[in-house]
Amino acid sequence: MRNSHSAMPVGAGVLLVTLLLSLSIASWAQPPPDAISDFQTPRPVPETRPEQKKNEHDKSDVFSAAKAQPSSAALGQQPDQGKVLGFDFFRDPLNAKRPMQSPEELMKADIADKARIMAAQRKLLESRYDLTPRLDPNVRMTRGKPLAVGPTARLAKGLDWDKLARMDPEAIRRDNLFPYPALPHPKHATGGMVFPKMQIAMFPRLERFDVEFDLPEEFLPEFPPAMFLQNRPELGDVSRGEVVSINNFHRLFKDILTPVQLDGLRFLLMPLPQEEFNATDDRKTVNPSLGVTCLDCHVNGHTTGQFHLNPDDRPQERRLRLDTTSLRGVFNQQIHSSKRSLRSVEDFTEFEQRTAYFNGDPIHAMKKGMVILDRVHVSHMAQFQNMLDFPPAPKLNALGRLDPAKATESELRGEKVFFGKGQCGTCHPAPFYLDNQMHDLKVERFVNEAPLGPMKSFTLRGIKESPPYMHDGRCLTLEDTVEFFNLVLELKLTKQEKADLVAFMRTL
């Protein structure tokens, strides 16, 4: 029996398939939705009701503080007529050049100064480094990003690395020859979190109007980075190529994490006010912001090189630029933070949100929107963080040392340097390549800078995926890092020993 429905013409079918394919491609090409940004953005709607329209009162200046009627006529005879002419903490933008500077004035001045500030930072970086990326043709990070190869630091004319390493620290300091001085924040007086452009392209809410990221993308970790869980190691990278966010965390992990861990992840993805990202007049975002999330910085439990200033030193110029460190392997770390030496991930989590987000100042936190997390939620956040694992290291055995059957000759030689002449194993013992201690390298012996004091040693597991290196990112590549320690520890490594040491660290 013939079908009573007429068949679709061939041309119409092809047209429909083409249309659906085009819609699918267009949808795929769009950046993923950002629920946090979407939540903050009102939809434009037609003004069809009278109450929607701005009237003359709405647009008038009667709301200005200058228009306020005094509570008493006698104030006219009092000092300053009873007005606050200096700094008014709650209303006044912090770091304003003059009291009562309006947010519009502050933003206009910052935007006008941005190009000059970033040009100066670029000039500084180019004077110190060769910023032309040289990429390794073979070695890549987990998701395929090639490694940049160094050293990138520029040496003074007539110097090479061997000659420099033979010099006394006093001579290097006297002649200003140390190639790895401290790396400053581009706008140190203001400081604050700065996110790389590749992350801002996906999450525009993280863009500042006064300053931008300064290092080339080639010297940064992958974005998005891979993500590994120690409770399900057989799964490998669980990110599936996505940035874990409030939009997708439940879909990605509901069958992998426990309800407690999922709840902790939810809080780590919840925006909280921060010094530059909030609703106050001195924010550094064009629009008022709910803030940033813990995993905006620790993307997928790792990092993409975001930086800010440490909250632990004063005055402002004494503070250190800090790169965001990875949370991989935090389950086995006993101290946390570069300088504060916090003794549990719970304390670290609570302190970061309550004070470090606000440059270590709880008064700023009160002004900008401090959120007090109860210890139950903090413990849930810690539970999730303790699931984060290192990337696989197939050439290492169960004790964290090289398997001779899998390693190359260069890697095996590098392991001997690491635990021998290089002295790396003193602060970074196997199997996790950290000693949970703080150490003072006394870099001030080589450069005329304020002493750093003790700094936490960080794990070297998965180190090839965490450029740039050192607390402030002053070493752009692993080769730079080896040269730094060859100088600071006065190791006198040969060219071959340096190359072998890099080869070994790439296996970790």
Side-chain angles (χ1 to χ4, degrees):
M1 181 176 176
R2 190 177 180 186
N3 195 321
S4 60
H5 296 285
S6 60
M8 179 183 291
V10 174
V14 171
L15 182 62
L16 178 60
V17 170
T18 303
L19 177 62
L20 292 173
L21 183 60
S22 299
L23 290 172
S24 176
I25 292 173
S27 174
W28 173 81
Q30 294 297 317
D34 181 355
I36 298 169
S37 179
D38 187 63
F39 179 80
Q40 299 179 86
T41 306
R43 270 57 170 178
V45 295
E47 293 184 357
T48 58
R49 303 186 307 277
E51 68 270 22
Q52 292 176 277
K53 298 178 181 179
K54 294 255 184 194
N55 56 40
E56 291 305 314
H57 177 72
D58 297 331
K59 295 183 284 187
S60 71
D61 63 353
V62 299
F63 306 101
S64 168
K67 296 286 186 178
Q69 184 177 358
S71 60
S72 169
L75 297 183
Q77 283 72 52
Q78 290 190 10
D80 297 330
Q81 298 182 330
K83 299 178 181 178
V84 176
L85 299 181
F87 184 79
D88 182 354
F89 187 86
F90 189 77
R91 291 191 301 134
D92 218 31
L94 299 171
N95 299 323
K97 293 182 179 178
R98 59 182 178 82
M100 301 303 180
Q101 190 171 4
S102 73
E104 292 77 20
E105 290 175 302
L106 189 65
M107 186 185 302
K108 183 178 179 181
D110 279 341
I111 292 172
D113 213 22
K114 180 178 178 179
R116 180 190 64 81
I117 288 170
M118 296 314 302
Q121 183 75 352
R122 180 75 183 187
K123 184 178 180 180
L124 173 70
L125 293 173
E126 289 178 343
S127 71
R128 294 185 179 184
Y129 306 102
D130 177 0
L131 294 177
T132 303
R134 302 192 302 276
L135 304 180
D136 191 292
N138 301 311
V139 182
R140 297 177 179 270
M141 301 180 197
T142 298
R143 296 198 59 82
K145 182 174 182 175
L147 263 63
V149 177
T152 64
R154 298 185 186 276
L155 300 181
K157 188 176 181 180
L159 270 185
D160 60 34
W161 291 104
D162 290 336
K163 184 176 180 180
L164 182 63
R166 290 193 295 270
M167 295 179 65
D168 293 331
E170 296 80 8
I172 294 174
R173 174 173 174 162
R174 181 192 64 233
D175 297 334
N176 194 29
L177 298 177
F178 190 64
Y180 299 107
L183 187 60
H185 194 291
K187 198 173 184 181
H188 209 89
T190 302
M193 292 182 179
V194 183
F195 294 86
K197 296 175 184 177
M198 55 189 177
Q199 188 175 1
I200 290 172
M202 185 176 288
F203 301 100
R205 60 188 169 80
L206 299 175
E207 184 172 18
R208 290 173 57 161
F209 56 70
D210 64 327
V211 70
E212 62 187 34
F213 203 87
D214 53 355
L215 296 177
E217 181 179 317
E218 290 83 356
F219 297 106
L220 302 181
E222 296 178 308
F223 181 77
M227 186 177 189
F228 305 93
L229 299 177
Q230 55 98 342
N231 64 323
R232 295 294 302 277
E234 78 279 8
L235 295 177
D237 175 15
V238 296
S239 74
R240 296 174 235 185
E242 300 184 41
V243 175
V244 178
S245 70
I246 205 71
N247 300 285
N248 61 16
F249 82 98
H250 195 266
R251 168 174 57 82
L252 291 175
F253 297 110
K254 62 184 179 182
D255 295 320
I256 299 174
L257 298 174
T258 69
V260 163
Q261 294 158 4
L262 272 175
D263 187 56
L265 178 55
R266 176 173 66 91
F267 271 85
L268 291 165
L269 295 168
M270 181 176 69
L272 299 167
Q274 189 268 346
E275 189 77 59
E276 290 74 32
F277 297 83
N278 58 71
T280 62
D281 288 351
D282 57 327
R283 66 181 184 269
K284 298 303 179 185
T285 58
V286 173
N287 297 312
S289 169
L290 290 172
V292 298
T293 77
C294 299
L295 294 196
D296 279 334
C297 285
H298 300 283
V299 177
N300 288 9
H302 189 45
T303 175
T304 50
Q306 309 88 341
F307 62 82
H308 59 110
L309 293 181
N310 79 315
D312 310 299
D313 296 309
R314 291 297 185 276
Q316 182 76 2
E317 61 270 27
R318 189 64 171 79
R319 297 173 68 189
L320 311 173
R321 170 169 168 160
L322 284 185
D323 275 17
T324 299
T325 188
S326 176
L327 294 180
R328 291 173 175 176
V330 76
F331 62 87
N332 210 40
Q333 296 178 27
Q334 296 173 18
I335 62 173
H336 306 273
S337 181
S338 298
K339 298 288 286 182
R340 280 164 276 154
S341 190
L342 298 167
R343 298 308 167 112
S344 73
V345 70
E346 287 84 357
D347 288 344
F348 175 78
T349 300
E350 186 175 17
F351 188 90
E352 283 293 295
Q353 187 278 317
R354 187 160 39 85
T355 54
Y357 270 20
F358 304 98
N359 295 318
D361 190 337
I363 304 302
H364 286 199
M366 291 171 64
K367 171 185 176 179
K368 292 168 178 286
M370 176 174 61
V371 176
I372 302 297
L373 298 174
D374 65 62
R375 202 65 176 183
V376 172
H377 290 121
V378 168
S379 70
H380 290 186
M381 295 163 77
Q383 280 294 305
F384 172 78
Q385 291 172 84
N386 284 330
M387 294 299 104
L388 295 167
D389 205 354
F390 301 110
K395 293 188 178 184
L396 299 185
N397 62 24
L399 298 179
R401 299 296 293 268
L402 280 178
D403 182 343
K406 299 177 180 178
T408 67
E409 290 299 320
S410 177
E411 292 163 353
L412 290 169
R413 291 195 303 266
E415 183 180 41
K416 291 181 179 179
V417 174
F418 187 95
F419 291 104
K421 182 179 178 181
Q423 302 182 43
C424 315
T426 303
C427 301
H428 301 280
F432 292 101
Y433 291 84
L434 82 162
D435 65 351
N436 289 300
Q437 299 293 320
M438 300 180 73
H439 300 276
D440 188 355
L441 297 173
K442 300 189 183 299
V443 179
E444 65 271 15
R445 293 173 293 145
F446 296 85
V447 61
N448 186 24
E449 292 177 348
L452 290 171
M455 301 281 290
K456 175 191 169 183
S457 62
F458 289 86
T459 175
L460 298 187
R461 277 284 283 111
I463 191 63
K464 77 174 189 293
E465 305 203 1
S466 299
Y469 304 105
M470 308 304 292
H471 66 276
D472 54 4
R474 68 179 71 184
C475 296
L476 303 188
T477 66
L478 281 175
E479 290 81 2
D480 285 301
T481 310
V482 168
E483 296 291 358
F484 173 91
F485 279 98
N486 189 48
L487 292 173
V488 170
L489 299 181
E490 302 179 73
L491 301 173
K492 304 295 190 294
L493 297 177
T494 67
K495 185 176 181 180
Q496 185 63 58
E497 287 170 333
K498 295 174 189 175
D500 293 339
L501 189 51
V502 170
F504 171 66
M505 287 195 292
R506 287 176 168 187
T507 70
L508 296 180

